[in-house]
Amino acid sequence: MLKLDAEHVHNLSKRIRDLSGEDVTHCIQCGKCSGGCTVAPDMEEIPSRIMRFIQLNMKERALTSSMVWTCTSCLTCTARCPEGIDIAKVMNVLRMMCTAEGYTPKEKQIHVFNRLFIGMIQKYGHVYELGLMVKNNMMAMTPFSC
Ligand code: SF4
Ligand code: SF4
């Protein structure tokens, strides 16, 4: 059972606010973000639940959720939130925290793809799709998948 620690319950939401400027404590759990999310139907967690994990300082649940790594940054949730929370930005910060703090997402290959993608942007300023696919397949040991 979840035990709330009044002294530390806002640790994660404060951290997210420092890194993104977004205050997740304003989330009223209306579910509009989840209702419009393009990938939520296939996920065990949904954006509003991730917001709740943050509110309750459930760091590990938030940082290891598949939702964080399958989010496509489509911004639908951000556009729908009545509290004006940029949820896509929060997801981005969660991915950064996950990488920086060594949390391993369930979707290991998405993690690898993300690193390759960001690395190409940093190096060339754009993504070279064929190169990205080849490198990704090599690292996944599936050279002939597309
Ligand atoms: S930005 Fe991410 S969390 Fe938001 S609706 Fe799109 S896929 Fe879902
Ligand atoms: S739309 Fe905004 S207020 Fe509603 S559940 Fe999502 S984050 Fe919370």
Side-chain angles (χ1 to χ4, degrees):
M1 198 199 343
L2 174 67
K3 283 194 185 150
L4 288 179
D5 171 356
E7 200 183 329
H8 300 109
V9 73
H10 295 306
N11 281 5
L12 185 55
S13 50
K14 276 186 193 148
R15 183 90 199 285
I16 300 283
R17 195 179 57 208
D18 290 346
L19 292 170
S20 69
E22 301 302 314
D23 192 347
V24 175
T25 61
H26 290 175
C27 170
I28 53 173
Q29 288 292 298
C30 68
K32 282 186 70 120
C33 52
S34 301
C37 177
T38 45
V39 297
D42 297 319
M43 293 290 111
E44 63 188 61
E45 311 291 9
I46 51 179
S48 49
R49 267 193 105 183
I50 303 293
M51 299 302 116
R52 198 65 173 149
F53 291 152
I54 296 170
Q55 288 178 328
L56 297 176
N57 201 36
M58 296 169 72
K59 189 174 176 185
E60 189 160 352
R61 286 294 295 275
L63 291 186
T64 58
S65 164
S66 301
M67 181 73 234
V68 169
W69 287 95
T70 43
C71 166
T72 57
S73 300
C74 69
L75 300 180
T76 308
C77 53
T78 299
R80 289 169 65 103
C81 178
E83 292 296 313
I85 301 168
D86 188 342
I87 300 143
K89 198 172 181 185
V90 171
M91 293 292 183
N92 205 25
V93 162
L94 290 172
R95 283 192 290 271
M96 283 165 50
M97 286 174 69
C98 188
T99 303
E101 298 184 22
Y103 281 86
T104 311
K106 287 178 208 151
E107 282 71 19
K108 291 186 178 51
Q109 199 47 40
I110 292 178
H111 196 219
V112 170
F113 181 86
N114 190 277
R115 269 193 287 136
L116 290 171
F117 185 93
I118 300 291
M120 270 195 174
I121 298 278
Q122 285 173 333
K123 198 164 177 187
Y124 307 114
H126 65 93
V127 171
Y128 172 48
E129 288 176 7
L130 182 60
L132 179 64
M133 190 181 80
V134 169
K135 274 190 179 178
N136 186 60
N137 286 358
M138 300 278 280
M139 292 181 84
M141 312 273 230
T142 55
F144 302 113
S145 90
C146 51

